Amino acid sequence: MTPDPSRAPGIGGPIDPGALRADCARCAGLCCVVPAFSRSSDFAIDKPAGRPCPNLQRDCRCGIHSELEERGFHGCTVFDCLGAGQKIVQTVFAGRDWHDDPDAAAQMFAVFPVMRRLHELLWHVAEALALDLPTALRADLDLAATRIDALTRQTPEAIADVRPDDEFQAVNPLLQRASEHARSGARGADRRGAQLMGARLRGADLRGSSLRGARLVGADLRGADLRLADLTGADLRGADLRGADLSTALFLCQSQLDAARGDTSTHIPAGRVPPARWTRPAVAVRVDPPRRRRR
Ligand code: SF4
Ligand code: SF4
């Protein structure tokens, strides 16, 4: 294994946010090859798993990047590997290219979904560590980060054997404690897993609420106050966030924003960027599962 200089693991060591952001120039188009696509409002074509998308060029760039929406590949605009792609290519496989290395290709493709999930978990731990937490909880999260990071730096065979769901289960209590601590002064409602598809929540006071895993597909959240709301895994596809305040929302990732509607009046947390289409008029609302991004 080649050490990744972008990350300095160790007990108590910080998680480098840069290592949790996709760096497509250091990858090999893995998200354009590994998953299967089903023809839908998110993908204009069917594609079997492990076969390159026909729009993927030999240099691993997308040949239709500037017109993904118009060409029916909305799903590509909302996927985020959270740095898993370049970790696989640069760290686990030391820069090998799947194009001319069939053995490496099979292993890379097996590792990708596991690495993606482990990076998702690392991202959540990093978000928790950014909160003002008691020392003991912070130490437990540091240990978790070190352990997960170590899992991502094993041999390809060992990574493919990791069961990410087990890792999520192990770390989830720490994330919940971090969330509860951060929200302790806000007294929000517990709406974990709530079925709120299409709900009329315009102007709602959702401060400090737990909306973990809530289904908010197509919900009207215009002007809602979501400060300190825990949005872990909340499904925001097509939710209308215009005028909503998510400036201090917890565990709100970029792909959740990318899947929602919003505009320049939407307040988002530091470190996220407003999706480009939020500043363009009249975009279609899509509700198929968010899948993938290629730059
Ligand atoms: S988004 Fe896709 S191409 Fe970019 S780094 Fe991730 S897996 Fe690789
Ligand atoms: S970004 Fe989407 S359309 Fe472009 S090559 Fe990748 S999978 Fe194909």
Side-chain angles (χ1 to χ4, degrees):
M1 278 189 309
T2 304
D4 183 346
S6 67
R7 170 84 166 88
I11 295 173
I15 301 174
D16 177 0
L20 299 177
R21 279 197 286 269
D23 183 352
C24 303
R26 299 176 65 227
C27 183
L30 291 179
C31 63
C32 304
V33 183
V34 180
F37 303 166
S38 297
R39 192 183 180 107
S40 64
S41 58
D42 275 339
F43 296 104
I45 58 169
D46 288 319
K47 181 190 88 60
R51 185 173 300 173
C53 170
N55 299 316
L56 185 66
Q57 301 174 155
R58 182 60 179 82
D59 63 1
C60 292
R61 290 176 179 275
C62 173
I64 61 167
H65 174 67
S66 61
E67 44 186 351
L68 285 168
E69 294 276 5
E70 296 82 348
R71 299 280 290 268
F73 287 85
H74 170 76
C76 302
T77 69
V78 298
F79 176 78
D80 189 350
C81 78
L82 298 168
Q86 74 262 22
K87 170 79 76 66
I88 293 170
V89 172
Q90 300 299 335
T91 302
V92 181
F93 286 88
R96 286 160 73 188
D97 187 342
W98 56 265
H99 280 98
D100 32 46
D101 191 340
D103 292 338
Q107 287 187 318
M108 275 187 190
F109 299 170
V111 163
F112 182 74
V114 179
M115 185 70 85
R116 169 65 182 73
R117 289 278 286 157
L118 291 176
H119 267 234
E120 184 182 346
L121 185 52
L122 270 177
W123 182 89
H124 281 86
V125 174
E127 285 291 294
L129 283 168
L131 301 171
D132 186 13
L133 299 176
T135 304
L137 178 52
R138 177 170 295 281
D140 287 346
L141 285 161
D142 273 338
L143 279 170
T146 301
R147 171 184 154 70
I148 302 160
D149 185 73
L151 292 176
T152 69
R153 293 167 187 276
Q154 304 179 101
T155 62
E157 295 83 357
I159 296 172
D161 279 346
V162 173
R163 297 171 61 160
D165 287 351
D166 291 351
E167 301 302 326
F168 267 84
Q169 276 198 354
V171 175
N172 202 35
L174 297 179
L175 299 176
Q176 292 215 39
R177 280 168 53 200
S179 169
E180 284 160 12
H181 184 82
R183 295 182 292 110
S184 55
R187 294 204 198 98
D190 185 351
R191 305 183 88 163
R192 279 176 287 181
Q195 297 296 319
L196 296 167
M197 291 180 69
R200 296 177 184 171
L201 294 166
R202 186 171 187 174
D205 182 357
L206 297 167
R207 278 175 295 172
S209 298
S210 177
L211 289 160
R212 292 169 69 93
R215 286 180 61 77
L216 288 154
V217 178
D220 182 358
L221 286 160
R222 283 176 290 173
D225 191 344
L226 286 149
R227 287 176 291 169
L228 289 177
D230 183 344
L231 290 165
T232 304
D235 192 341
L236 291 168
R237 285 174 292 152
D240 194 341
L241 299 176
R242 287 176 291 173
D245 190 348
L246 302 107
S247 57
T248 55
L250 306 175
F251 304 109
L252 174 65
C253 67
Q254 184 66 45
S255 60
Q256 285 170 296
L257 287 176
D258 290 343
R261 301 172 66 194
D263 63 15
T264 53
S265 68
T266 308
H267 300 274
I268 62 175
R272 315 295 181 268
V273 291
R277 63 198 174 84
W278 284 15
T279 58
R280 292 197 300 258
V283 293
V285 177
R286 301 176 187 257
V287 293
D288 282 347
R291 297 283 294 275
R292 56 207 339 279
R293 174 204 302 277
R294 263 293 285 145
R295 296 176 178 84

